[in-house]
Coordinates of all heavy atoms in Angstrom, one line a residue:
M115 N -1.8 2.7 13.9 CA -1.1 2.2 12.8 C 0.0 3.2 12.4 O -0.3 4.4 12.3 CB -2.0 1.9 11.6 CG -1.2 1.5 10.4 SD -2.2 1.2 8.9 CE -2.5 2.8 8.4
T116 N 1.2 2.7 12.2 CA 2.2 3.6 11.7 C 2.4 3.5 10.2 O 2.3 2.4 9.7 CB 3.6 3.3 12.4 OG1 3.9 2.0 12.2 CG2 3.5 3.5 13.9
V117 N 2.7 4.6 9.6 CA 2.9 4.6 8.1 C 4.3 5.1 7.8 O 4.7 6.2 8.3 CB 1.9 5.5 7.4 CG1 2.1 5.5 5.9 CG2 0.5 5.0 7.7
N118 N 5.1 4.3 7.1 CA 6.4 4.7 6.7 C 6.5 4.8 5.2 O 6.3 3.8 4.5 CB 7.4 3.6 7.2 CG 8.8 4.0 6.8 OD1 9.2 5.1 6.5 ND2 9.7 3.0 6.9
I119 N 6.6 6.0 4.6 CA 6.7 6.2 3.2 C 8.1 6.6 2.8 O 8.7 7.5 3.3 CB 5.7 7.3 2.8 CG1 4.3 7.0 3.2 CG2 5.7 7.6 1.3 CD1 3.3 8.1 3.0
Q120 N 8.6 5.8 1.8 CA 10.0 6.1 1.3 C 9.9 6.2 -0.2 O 9.2 5.5 -0.9 CB 10.9 4.9 1.6 CG 11.1 4.7 3.1 CD 12.0 3.6 3.4 OE1 12.6 3.0 2.5 NE2 12.2 3.3 4.7
Y121 N 10.7 7.2 -0.7 CA 10.9 7.5 -2.1 C 12.3 7.1 -2.4 O 13.3 7.7 -1.9 CB 10.7 8.9 -2.4 CG 9.3 9.4 -2.2 CD1 8.9 9.8 -0.9 CD2 8.3 9.4 -3.2 CE1 7.6 10.2 -0.7 CE2 7.0 9.8 -3.0 CZ 6.7 10.2 -1.7 OH 5.4 10.6 -1.5
L122 N 12.5 6.0 -3.3 CA 13.8 5.5 -3.6 C 14.4 6.2 -4.9 O 13.8 6.1 -5.9 CB 13.7 4.0 -3.8 CG 13.2 3.2 -2.6 CD1 13.0 1.8 -2.9 CD2 14.0 3.4 -1.4
H123 N 15.5 6.9 -4.7 CA 16.2 7.5 -5.8 C 15.3 8.6 -6.5 O 15.3 8.7 -7.8 CB 16.7 6.5 -6.8 CG 17.5 5.4 -6.2 ND1 18.7 5.7 -5.6 CD2 17.3 4.1 -6.0 CE1 19.2 4.6 -5.1 NE2 18.4 3.6 -5.4
M124 N 14.5 9.3 -5.8 CA 13.7 10.4 -6.3 C 13.3 11.3 -5.2 O 13.4 11.0 -4.0 CB 12.4 9.8 -7.0 CG 11.6 8.9 -6.1 SD 10.3 8.1 -6.9 CE 9.2 9.4 -7.1
P125 N 12.8 12.6 -5.6 CA 12.4 13.5 -4.5 C 11.1 13.1 -3.9 O 10.3 12.5 -4.5 CB 12.3 14.8 -5.3 CG 12.1 14.4 -6.7 CD 12.8 13.1 -6.9
T126 N 11.0 13.6 -2.6 CA 9.7 13.3 -1.9 C 8.6 14.2 -2.3 O 8.8 15.3 -2.9 CB 9.9 13.4 -0.4 OG1 10.3 14.8 -0.1 CG2 11.0 12.5 0.1
S127 N 7.4 13.8 -2.1 CA 6.2 14.6 -2.4 C 5.3 14.7 -1.2 O 4.7 13.7 -0.8 CB 5.5 13.9 -3.6 OG 4.2 14.5 -3.8
E128 N 5.1 15.9 -0.6 CA 4.3 16.1 0.5 C 2.8 15.8 0.2 O 2.1 15.3 1.0 CB 4.5 17.5 1.1 CG 5.8 17.7 1.8 CD 6.0 16.7 3.0 OE1 5.1 16.4 3.7 OE2 7.1 16.2 3.1
A129 N 2.4 16.2 -1.0 CA 1.0 16.0 -1.4 C 0.7 14.5 -1.5 O -0.4 14.0 -1.1 CB 0.7 16.7 -2.7
M130 N 1.6 13.7 -2.0 CA 1.4 12.3 -2.1 C 1.4 11.7 -0.8 O 0.6 10.7 -0.5 CB 2.5 11.7 -3.0 CG 2.3 10.3 -3.4 SD 0.8 10.2 -4.4 CE 0.8 8.5 -4.8
N131 N 2.3 12.1 0.1 CA 2.3 11.6 1.5 C 0.9 11.9 2.2 O 0.4 10.9 2.8 CB 3.4 12.3 2.3 CG 4.8 11.9 2.0 OD1 4.9 10.9 1.2 ND2 5.8 12.6 2.5
E132 N 0.4 13.0 2.1 CA -0.9 13.3 2.7 C -2.0 12.5 2.1 O -2.9 12.0 2.8 CB -1.2 14.8 2.6 CG -0.3 15.7 3.4 CD -0.6 17.2 3.2 OE1 -1.7 17.5 2.7 OE2 0.3 18.0 3.5
L133 N -2.1 12.4 0.8 CA -3.1 11.6 0.1 C -3.0 10.1 0.6 O -4.1 9.5 0.9 CB -3.0 11.7 -1.4 CG -3.9 10.9 -2.2 CD1 -5.3 11.4 -2.1 CD2 -3.4 10.8 -3.7
L134 N -1.9 9.6 0.6 CA -1.7 8.2 0.9 C -2.0 7.9 2.4 O -2.6 6.9 2.7 CB -0.3 7.7 0.6 CG 0.0 6.3 0.5 CD1 -1.0 5.6 -0.5 CD2 1.4 6.0 0.1
T135 N -1.5 8.8 3.3 CA -1.8 8.7 4.7 C -3.3 8.7 5.0 O -3.8 8.0 5.7 CB -1.1 9.8 5.5 OG1 0.3 9.7 5.2 CG2 -1.3 9.6 7.0
H136 N -4.0 9.6 4.3 CA -5.5 9.7 4.4 C -6.2 8.4 4.0 O -7.0 7.9 4.7 CB -6.0 10.9 3.6 CG -7.5 11.1 3.7 ND1 -8.2 11.4 4.8 CD2 -8.4 10.9 2.7 CE1 -9.5 11.5 4.6 NE2 -9.6 11.1 3.3
K137 N -5.8 7.9 2.9 CA -6.4 6.6 2.4 C -6.1 5.5 3.3 O -6.9 4.6 3.6 CB -6.0 6.4 1.0 CG -6.6 7.3 0.0 CD -6.3 6.9 -1.4 CE -7.0 7.9 -2.4 NZ -7.0 7.5 -3.8
L138 N -4.8 5.4 3.8 CA -4.5 4.3 4.7 C -5.2 4.4 6.0 O -5.5 3.4 6.7 CB -2.9 4.3 4.9 CG -2.2 3.7 3.7 CD1 -0.7 4.0 3.9 CD2 -2.4 2.3 3.5
E139 N -5.4 5.7 6.5 CA -6.2 5.8 7.7 C -7.6 5.3 7.6 O -8.2 4.8 8.5 CB -6.2 7.3 8.2 CG -4.9 7.7 8.8 CD -4.8 9.2 9.1 OE1 -5.8 9.9 8.8 OE2 -3.8 9.6 9.6
K140 N -8.2 5.5 6.4 CA -9.6 5.0 6.2 C -9.6 3.5 6.2 O -10.5 2.9 6.8 CB -10.1 5.5 4.8 CG -10.4 7.0 4.8 CD -10.8 7.5 3.5 CE -12.2 7.2 3.1 NZ -12.6 7.8 1.8
I141 N -8.6 2.9 5.6 CA -8.5 1.4 5.6 C -8.2 0.9 7.0 O -8.8 -0.1 7.5 CB -7.4 0.9 4.7 CG1 -7.8 1.2 3.2 CG2 -7.1 -0.5 4.9 CD1 -6.8 0.9 2.2
S142 N -7.4 1.6 7.8 CA -7.1 1.3 9.2 C -8.3 1.4 10.1 O -8.5 0.6 11.0 CB -6.0 2.1 9.7 OG -5.7 1.8 11.0
A143 N -9.2 2.3 9.8 CA -10.5 2.4 10.5 C -11.3 1.1 10.3 O -12.0 0.7 11.3 CB -11.2 3.6 10.1
K144 N -11.3 0.6 9.1 CA -12.1 -0.6 8.9 C -11.5 -1.9 9.5 O -12.2 -2.7 10.0 CB -12.2 -0.9 7.3 CG -13.3 -0.3 6.6 CD -13.3 -0.8 5.2 CE -14.0 0.0 4.2 NZ -13.9 -0.5 2.9
Y145 N -10.2 -1.9 9.4 CA -9.4 -3.1 9.9 C -8.5 -2.6 11.0 O -7.3 -2.3 10.7 CB -8.6 -3.7 8.7 CG -9.5 -4.1 7.5 CD1 -9.5 -3.2 6.4 CD2 -10.3 -5.2 7.5 CE1 -10.3 -3.5 5.3 CE2 -11.1 -5.5 6.4 CZ -11.1 -4.7 5.3 OH -11.8 -5.0 4.2
D146 N -9.0 -2.6 12.2 CA -8.2 -2.1 13.3 C -7.0 -2.9 13.8 O -6.3 -2.5 14.6 CB -9.1 -1.7 14.5 CG -9.8 -3.0 15.0 OD1 -9.8 -4.0 14.3 OD2 -10.4 -2.9 16.1
W147 N -6.8 -4.1 13.2 CA -5.8 -5.0 13.6 C -4.5 -4.8 12.7 O -3.6 -5.5 12.8 CB -6.2 -6.4 13.5 CG -7.2 -6.8 12.5 CD1 -8.5 -6.7 12.5 CD2 -6.9 -7.2 11.2 NE1 -9.1 -7.1 11.3 CE2 -8.1 -7.4 10.5 CE3 -5.7 -7.5 10.5 CZ2 -8.2 -7.9 9.2 CZ3 -5.8 -8.0 9.2 CH2 -7.0 -8.2 8.5
I148 N -4.5 -3.8 11.8 CA -3.3 -3.5 11.1 C -2.3 -2.8 12.0 O -2.6 -1.8 12.6 CB -3.6 -2.6 9.9 CG1 -4.6 -3.2 8.9 CG2 -2.4 -2.2 9.1 CD1 -5.1 -2.3 7.8
L149 N -1.1 -3.3 12.0 CA 0.0 -2.7 12.9 C 0.7 -1.6 12.2 O 0.9 -0.5 12.8 CB 0.9 -3.8 13.3 CG 0.3 -5.0 14.0 CD1 1.3 -6.1 14.3 CD2 -0.4 -4.6 15.3
S150 N 1.2 -1.8 11.0 CA 2.0 -0.8 10.3 C 2.0 -1.0 8.8 O 1.7 -2.2 8.4 CB 3.4 -0.7 10.8 OG 4.1 -1.9 10.4
T151 N 2.3 0.0 8.1 CA 2.4 -0.1 6.6 C 3.7 0.6 6.1 O 4.0 1.7 6.5 CB 1.2 0.6 6.0 OG1 0.0 0.0 6.5 CG2 1.2 0.4 4.5
D152 N 4.4 -0.1 5.3 CA 5.6 0.4 4.6 C 5.3 0.6 3.2 O 4.8 -0.3 2.5 CB 6.8 -0.5 4.8 CG 7.3 -0.7 6.2 OD1 7.2 0.3 7.0 OD2 7.7 -1.8 6.6
V153 N 5.5 1.8 2.7 CA 5.2 2.2 1.3 C 6.5 2.6 0.6 O 7.3 3.4 1.2 CB 4.2 3.4 1.2 CG1 3.9 3.7 -0.2 CG2 3.0 3.0 2.0
Y154 N 6.7 2.1 -0.6 CA 7.9 2.4 -1.4 C 7.5 2.9 -2.8 O 6.8 2.2 -3.5 CB 8.8 1.2 -1.5 CG 9.2 0.6 -0.2 CD1 8.6 -0.5 0.3 CD2 10.3 1.1 0.5 CE1 8.9 -1.1 1.5 CE2 10.7 0.6 1.7 CZ 10.0 -0.5 2.2 OH 10.3 -1.1 3.5
F155 N 8.0 4.0 -3.1 CA 7.8 4.6 -4.5 C 9.2 4.6 -5.2 O 10.2 5.0 -4.6 CB 7.3 6.0 -4.5 CG 5.9 6.1 -4.0 CD1 5.5 6.6 -2.8 CD2 4.8 5.7 -4.9 CE1 4.2 6.7 -2.4 CE2 3.5 5.8 -4.5 CZ 3.2 6.3 -3.2
K156 N 9.2 4.0 -6.4 CA 10.5 4.0 -7.1 C 10.2 4.0 -8.6 O 9.1 3.7 -9.1 CB 11.3 2.8 -6.7 CG 10.7 1.5 -6.9 CD 11.5 0.4 -6.3 CE 10.9 -0.9 -6.3 NZ 11.7 -2.0 -5.8
L157 N 11.2 4.3 -9.4 CA 11.1 4.3 -10.9 C 11.6 2.9 -11.4 O 12.7 2.5 -11.0 CB 11.9 5.4 -11.5 CG 11.5 6.8 -11.2 CD1 12.5 7.8 -11.7 CD2 10.1 7.1 -11.8
G158 N 10.8 2.3 -12.2 CA 11.2 1.0 -12.8 C 12.0 1.2 -14.1 O 12.4 2.3 -14.5
N159 N 12.3 0.1 -14.7 CA 13.1 0.1 -16.0 C 12.3 -0.1 -17.2 O 12.8 -0.4 -18.3 CB 14.2 -1.0 -15.9 CG 15.2 -0.7 -14.8 OD1 15.3 0.4 -14.4 ND2 15.8 -1.7 -14.3
D160 N 11.0 0.1 -17.2 CA 10.1 -0.2 -18.3 C 10.2 1.0 -19.3 O 10.0 2.1 -18.9 CB 8.7 -0.4 -17.9 CG 7.8 -0.9 -18.9 OD1 8.3 -1.2 -20.0 OD2 6.6 -1.0 -18.7
S161 N 10.5 0.7 -20.5 CA 10.6 1.8 -21.5 C 9.3 2.1 -22.2 O 9.2 3.1 -23.0 CB 11.6 1.3 -22.6 OG 11.1 0.2 -23.3
S162 N 8.2 1.4 -21.9 CA 6.9 1.7 -22.5 C 6.2 2.9 -21.8 O 5.1 3.2 -22.2 CB 6.0 0.5 -22.5 OG 5.7 0.1 -21.2
G163 N 6.7 3.4 -20.8 CA 6.1 4.6 -20.1 C 5.5 4.2 -18.7 O 5.3 5.0 -17.9
K164 N 5.2 2.9 -18.5 CA 4.7 2.4 -17.2 C 5.9 2.1 -16.3 O 6.2 0.9 -16.2 CB 3.8 1.2 -17.4 CG 2.4 1.6 -18.0 CD 1.5 0.4 -17.9 CE 0.1 0.8 -18.2 NZ -0.8 -0.3 -17.9
N165 N 6.5 3.1 -15.8 CA 7.7 2.8 -15.0 C 7.6 3.4 -13.6 O 8.6 3.4 -12.9 CB 9.0 3.4 -15.7 CG 8.9 4.9 -15.8 OD1 7.8 5.5 -15.6 ND2 10.0 5.5 -16.2
K166 N 6.4 3.8 -13.1 CA 6.2 4.2 -11.8 C 5.7 3.1 -10.9 O 4.7 2.5 -11.2 CB 5.2 5.4 -11.7 CG 5.4 6.5 -12.7 CD 6.7 7.3 -12.5 CE 6.8 8.5 -13.3 NZ 7.1 8.4 -14.7
V167 N 6.5 2.7 -9.9 CA 6.3 1.5 -9.1 C 5.9 1.9 -7.7 O 6.5 2.8 -7.1 CB 7.5 0.6 -9.1 CG1 7.2 -0.7 -8.2 CG2 7.9 0.2 -10.5
C168 N 4.8 1.3 -7.2 CA 4.4 1.5 -5.8 C 4.3 0.1 -5.2 O 3.6 -0.7 -5.7 CB 3.0 2.2 -5.7 SG 2.4 2.4 -4.1
E169 N 5.0 0.0 -4.1 CA 5.0 -1.3 -3.3 C 4.6 -1.0 -1.9 O 5.0 0.0 -1.3 CB 6.4 -1.9 -3.3 CG 6.9 -2.4 -4.6 CD 8.3 -3.0 -4.6 OE1 8.9 -2.8 -3.5 OE2 8.7 -3.5 -5.6
M170 N 3.7 -1.8 -1.3 CA 3.2 -1.6 0.0 C 3.3 -3.0 0.8 O 2.9 -4.0 0.2 CB 1.8 -1.1 0.1 CG 1.6 0.2 -0.4 SD -0.1 0.8 -0.2 CE -0.1 2.2 -1.3
K171 N 3.8 -2.9 2.0 CA 3.9 -4.1 2.9 C 3.2 -3.8 4.2 O 3.5 -2.8 4.8 CB 5.3 -4.4 3.1 CG 5.6 -5.6 4.0 CD 7.1 -5.9 4.1 CE 7.8 -4.7 4.6 NZ 9.2 -5.0 4.9
M172 N 2.2 -4.6 4.5 CA 1.4 -4.3 5.8 C 1.8 -5.4 6.8 O 1.8 -6.6 6.5 CB -0.1 -4.4 5.5 CG -0.6 -3.2 4.9 SD -2.4 -3.3 5.0 CE -2.8 -1.6 4.5
E173 N 2.0 -4.9 8.0 CA 2.3 -5.8 9.1 C 0.9 -6.0 9.8 O 0.3 -5.1 10.3 CB 3.2 -5.1 10.2 CG 4.6 -4.9 9.6 CD 5.4 -6.2 9.6 OE1 5.1 -7.2 10.4 OE2 6.4 -6.3 8.8
V174 N 0.5 -7.3 9.8 CA -0.8 -7.7 10.4 C -0.5 -9.0 11.1 O 0.5 -9.6 11.0 CB -1.9 -7.9 9.3 CG1 -2.2 -6.6 8.6 CG2 -1.5 -8.9 8.3
P175 N -1.5 -9.4 12.0 CA -1.3 -10.7 12.7 C -1.3 -11.8 11.6 O -2.0 -11.8 10.7 CB -2.6 -10.8 13.5 CG -3.0 -9.4 13.8 CD -2.6 -8.6 12.5
G176 N -0.3 -12.7 11.8 CA -0.1 -13.7 10.8 C 0.9 -13.3 9.7 O 1.7 -12.4 10.0
P177 N 0.8 -13.9 8.6 CA 1.8 -13.5 7.5 C 1.6 -12.0 7.0 O 0.4 -11.5 7.0 CB 1.5 -14.5 6.4 CG 0.7 -15.6 7.0 CD 0.0 -15.0 8.2
R178 N 2.6 -11.4 6.6 CA 2.6 -10.0 6.1 C 1.8 -10.0 4.8 O 1.7 -11.0 4.1 CB 3.9 -9.5 5.8 CG 4.8 -9.2 7.0 CD 6.1 -8.5 6.5 NE 7.0 -8.5 7.6 CZ 8.2 -9.0 7.7 NH1 8.6 -9.6 6.6 NH2 8.9 -8.9 8.7
I179 N 1.2 -8.9 4.5 CA 0.4 -8.7 3.3 C 1.3 -7.7 2.4 O 1.7 -6.7 2.9 CB -0.9 -8.1 3.5 CG1 -1.8 -9.1 4.3 CG2 -1.6 -7.7 2.2 CD1 -3.1 -8.5 4.7
F180 N 1.5 -8.1 1.1 CA 2.3 -7.3 0.2 C 1.5 -7.2 -1.1 O 0.9 -8.1 -1.6 CB 3.6 -8.0 -0.1 CG 4.5 -7.3 -1.0 CD1 5.3 -6.3 -0.6 CD2 4.5 -7.7 -2.4 CE1 6.1 -5.6 -1.5 CE2 5.3 -7.0 -3.3 CZ 6.1 -6.0 -2.8
A181 N 1.7 -6.0 -1.7 CA 1.1 -5.7 -3.0 C 2.0 -4.7 -3.7 O 2.7 -3.9 -3.1 CB -0.3 -5.1 -2.9
S182 N 2.1 -4.8 -5.0 CA 2.9 -4.0 -5.9 C 2.2 -3.7 -7.2 O 1.4 -4.6 -7.7 CB 4.2 -4.6 -6.1 OG 5.0 -3.8 -7.0
S183 N 2.3 -2.5 -7.7 CA 1.8 -2.2 -9.0 C 2.7 -1.2 -9.8 O 3.4 -0.4 -9.2 CB 0.3 -1.6 -8.9 OG 0.4 -0.4 -8.2
T184 N 2.6 -1.3 -11.1 CA 3.3 -0.4 -12.0 C 2.4 0.3 -12.9 O 1.6 -0.4 -13.6 CB 4.4 -1.3 -12.8 OG1 5.2 -2.0 -11.9 CG2 5.2 -0.4 -13.6
E185 N 2.4 1.6 -12.9 CA 1.5 2.4 -13.8 C 2.3 3.5 -14.4 O 3.5 3.6 -14.2 CB 0.4 2.9 -12.9 CG -0.6 1.9 -12.4 CD -1.4 1.2 -13.4 OE1 -1.7 1.9 -14.5 OE2 -1.9 0.1 -13.2
D186 N 1.6 4.4 -15.1 CA 2.2 5.5 -15.8 C 2.4 6.7 -14.9 O 3.1 7.7 -15.2 CB 1.5 5.9 -17.1 CG 0.1 6.2 -16.9 OD1 -0.5 6.0 -15.8 OD2 -0.5 6.7 -17.9
N187 N 1.7 6.8 -13.7 CA 2.0 7.8 -12.7 C 1.8 7.2 -11.3 O 1.2 6.1 -11.1 CB 1.1 9.1 -12.9 CG -0.4 8.8 -12.7 OD1 -0.8 8.0 -11.9 ND2 -1.2 9.6 -13.4
F188 N 2.3 7.9 -10.3 CA 2.4 7.3 -9.0 C 1.0 7.3 -8.3 O 0.7 6.4 -7.5 CB 3.3 8.1 -8.1 CG 4.8 7.9 -8.4 CD1 5.6 8.9 -9.0 CD2 5.3 6.6 -8.2 CE1 6.9 8.6 -9.3 CE2 6.7 6.4 -8.5 CZ 7.4 7.4 -9.1
E189 N 0.1 8.2 -8.7 CA -1.3 8.2 -8.1 C -2.0 6.9 -8.5 O -2.7 6.3 -7.7 CB -2.0 9.4 -8.5 CG -1.6 10.7 -7.9 CD -0.4 11.3 -8.6 OE1 0.0 10.9 -9.7 OE2 0.2 12.3 -8.0
K190 N -1.9 6.6 -9.8 CA -2.6 5.4 -10.3 C -1.9 4.1 -9.7 O -2.6 3.2 -9.3 CB -2.5 5.3 -11.8 CG -3.4 6.2 -12.6 CD -3.2 6.0 -14.0 CE -4.0 7.0 -14.9 NZ -3.8 6.8 -16.3
A191 N -0.6 4.1 -9.5 CA 0.0 3.0 -9.0 C -0.4 2.8 -7.5 O -0.6 1.7 -7.0 CB 1.6 3.1 -9.1
A192 N -0.4 3.9 -6.7 CA -0.8 3.8 -5.3 C -2.3 3.3 -5.2 O -2.6 2.5 -4.4 CB -0.7 5.2 -4.7
A193 N -3.2 3.8 -6.1 CA -4.6 3.4 -6.0 C -4.7 1.9 -6.3 O -5.5 1.2 -5.7 CB -5.4 4.2 -7.0
A194 N -4.0 1.4 -7.3 CA -4.1 0.0 -7.7 C -3.5 -0.9 -6.5 O -4.1 -1.9 -6.2 CB -3.3 -0.2 -9.0
T195 N -2.4 -0.4 -5.9 CA -1.9 -1.2 -4.8 C -2.8 -1.2 -3.6 O -3.0 -2.2 -3.0 CB -0.5 -0.6 -4.4 OG1 0.3 -0.5 -5.6 CG2 0.2 -1.4 -3.4
L196 N -3.4 -0.1 -3.3 CA -4.4 0.0 -2.2 C -5.5 -0.9 -2.5 O -6.0 -1.6 -1.5 CB -4.8 1.4 -2.0 CG -3.9 2.3 -1.2 CD1 -4.3 3.7 -1.3 CD2 -3.7 1.8 0.2
K197 N -6.0 -1.0 -3.7 CA -7.1 -1.9 -4.1 C -6.7 -3.3 -3.8 O -7.5 -4.1 -3.3 CB -7.5 -1.6 -5.5 CG -8.8 -2.3 -5.9 CD -9.1 -1.9 -7.3 CE -10.4 -2.6 -7.8 NZ -10.8 -2.2 -9.2
D198 N -5.5 -3.7 -4.2 CA -5.1 -5.1 -4.0 C -4.9 -5.4 -2.5 O -5.3 -6.5 -2.1 CB -3.7 -5.3 -4.7 CG -3.8 -5.3 -6.2 OD1 -4.9 -5.5 -6.7 OD2 -2.7 -5.2 -6.8
L199 N -4.4 -4.5 -1.8 CA -4.3 -4.7 -0.3 C -5.6 -4.8 0.3 O -5.8 -5.7 1.2 CB -3.5 -3.5 0.3 CG -2.0 -3.5 0.1 CD1 -1.4 -2.2 0.8 CD2 -1.4 -4.7 0.7
E200 N -6.6 -4.0 0.0 CA -7.9 -4.1 0.6 C -8.6 -5.4 0.3 O -9.2 -6.0 1.1 CB -8.8 -2.9 0.1 CG -10.0 -2.8 1.0 CD -10.6 -1.4 1.1 OE1 -10.1 -0.6 0.3 OE2 -11.4 -1.2 2.0
R201 N -8.4 -5.9 -1.0 CA -8.9 -7.2 -1.3 C -8.3 -8.3 -0.4 O -9.0 -9.2 0.1 CB -8.6 -7.5 -2.8 CG -9.2 -8.8 -3.3 CD -9.0 -9.0 -4.8 NE -7.7 -8.6 -5.3 CZ -6.6 -9.4 -5.3 NH1 -6.7 -10.6 -4.7 NH2 -5.5 -9.0 -5.8
Q202 N -7.0 -8.2 -0.2 CA -6.3 -9.2 0.6 C -6.8 -9.1 2.1 O -6.9 -10.1 2.8 CB -4.8 -9.0 0.5 CG -4.2 -9.4 -0.8 CD -2.7 -9.2 -0.8 OE1 -2.0 -9.6 0.1 NE2 -2.2 -8.6 -1.9
L203 N -7.0 -7.9 2.6 CA -7.5 -7.7 3.9 C -8.9 -8.3 4.1 O -9.2 -8.9 5.1 CB -7.5 -6.2 4.3 CG -6.1 -5.6 4.5 CD1 -6.2 -4.1 4.6 CD2 -5.5 -6.1 5.8
K204 N -9.7 -8.1 3.1 CA -11.1 -8.7 3.2 C -11.0 -10.3 3.3 O -11.7 -10.9 4.1 CB -11.9 -8.4 1.9 CG -12.4 -7.0 2.0 CD -13.2 -6.7 0.7 CE -13.7 -5.2 0.7 NZ -14.4 -4.9 -0.5
K205 N -10.1 -10.9 2.5 CA -9.9 -12.3 2.6 C -9.4 -12.7 3.9 O -9.9 -13.7 4.5 CB -8.9 -12.8 1.5 CG -9.5 -12.8 0.1 CD -8.4 -13.3 -0.8 CE -8.9 -13.4 -2.3 NZ -7.8 -13.9 -3.1
R206 N -8.4 -12.0 4.5 CA -7.9 -12.3 5.8 C -8.9 -12.2 6.9 O -9.0 -13.0 7.8 CB -6.7 -11.4 6.0 CG -6.0 -11.5 7.4 CD -5.1 -12.7 7.5 NE -4.1 -12.7 6.5 CZ -2.8 -12.3 6.6 NH1 -2.5 -11.7 7.7 NH2 -2.0 -12.4 5.6
K207 N -9.8 -11.1 6.8 CA -10.8 -11.0 7.8 C -11.8 -12.1 7.7 O -12.3 -12.6 8.7 CB -11.5 -9.6 7.6 CG -12.5 -9.3 8.6 CD -13.1 -7.9 8.4 CE -14.0 -7.5 9.5 NZ -14.6 -6.2 9.3
A208 N -12.2 -12.6 6.5 CA -13.1 -13.7 6.4 C -12.5 -14.9 7.0 O -13.3 -15.7 7.6 CB -13.4 -13.9 4.9
V209 N -11.2 -15.2 6.8 CA -10.6 -16.4 7.4 C -10.6 -16.3 8.9 O -10.9 -17.3 9.6 CB -9.2 -16.5 6.8 CG1 -8.4 -17.6 7.6 CG2 -9.2 -16.9 5.3
Y210 N -10.2 -15.2 9.5 CA -10.1 -15.1 10.9 C -11.5 -15.0 11.6 O -11.7 -15.3 12.7 CB -9.3 -13.9 11.3 CG -7.8 -14.1 11.1 CD1 -7.0 -13.2 10.5 CD2 -7.2 -15.3 11.6 CE1 -5.7 -13.4 10.3 CE2 -5.9 -15.5 11.5 CZ -5.1 -14.6 10.8 OH -3.8 -14.8 10.7
S211 N -12.5 -14.5 10.9 CA -13.8 -14.4 11.5 C -14.5 -15.8 11.6 O -15.4 -16.0 12.4 CB -14.7 -13.4 10.7 OG -15.0 -13.9 9.4
K212 N -14.1 -16.8 10.8 CA -14.6 -18.1 10.9 C -14.1 -18.9 12.1 O -14.7 -19.8 12.5 CB -14.3 -18.9 9.6 CG -15.0 -18.4 8.4 CD -14.6 -19.2 7.2 CE -15.3 -18.7 5.9 NZ -14.9 -19.4 4.7
R213 N -13.0 -18.5 12.6 CA -12.4 -19.2 13.7 C -13.0 -18.9 15.0 O -13.5 -18.0 15.4 CB -10.9 -18.9 13.8 CG -10.2 -19.4 12.6 CD -8.7 -19.1 12.8 NE -8.0 -19.7 11.6 CZ -6.7 -19.7 11.5 NH1 -6.0 -19.1 12.4 NH2 -6.2 -20.2 10.5

């Protein structure tokens, strides 16, 4: 699986890259049919403080899987997005295992 991490209009973070890559590798070990993952970190326009946005798009057989979350820091946003993706992957695996 290839991982592409992009920071839009902000500096990159090597620590965040390593953390995210490690977590995605764990998910990829469970679901070996994941082809690639694109991750986007950006700042939103929310004035309440929850303006850190993490979006992930996974290339898998069939339709792409997409999740996005907005939190007060990027670590929480990434964790929430990964949780959503894993839930979608479980559903997809259940559908394909019935066939």
Side-chain angles (χ1 to χ4, degrees):
M115 175 181 76
T116 59
V117 178
N118 181 19
I119 302 172
Q120 294 182 6
Y121 295 86
L122 304 175
H123 307 294
M124 54 185 288
T126 62
S127 168
E128 288 301 320
M130 191 64 174
N131 286 351
E132 290 177 20
L133 175 71
L134 199 55
T135 303
H136 177 69
K137 289 187 178 190
L138 285 170
E139 285 174 356
K140 288 173 83 174
I141 291 175
S142 178
K144 270 190 201 177
Y145 307 100
D146 59 346
W147 36 271
I148 299 173
L149 303 174
S150 68
T151 304
D152 295 326
V153 182
Y154 303 98
F155 288 108
K156 57 186 174 182
L157 294 172
N159 293 338
D160 191 7
S161 62
S162 67
K164 287 190 168 188
N165 62 348
K166 312 295 192 284
V167 179
C168 177
E169 296 178 347
M170 293 187 195
K171 178 176 60 172
M172 282 191 169
E173 293 284 335
V174 294
R178 289 186 190 122
I179 295 176
F180 178 81
S182 176
S183 62
T184 305
E185 293 291 336
D186 57 350
N187 67 31
F188 287 113
E189 289 82 9
K190 286 182 184 177
T195 306
L196 283 170
K197 189 175 180 180
D198 288 346
L199 283 176
E200 192 150 16
R201 182 175 43 83
Q202 292 181 44
L203 288 168
K204 284 181 185 177
K205 285 182 181 179
R206 177 78 56 95
K207 186 175 182 179
V209 168
Y210 283 132
S211 65
K212 289 180 182 178
R213 293 182 178 184

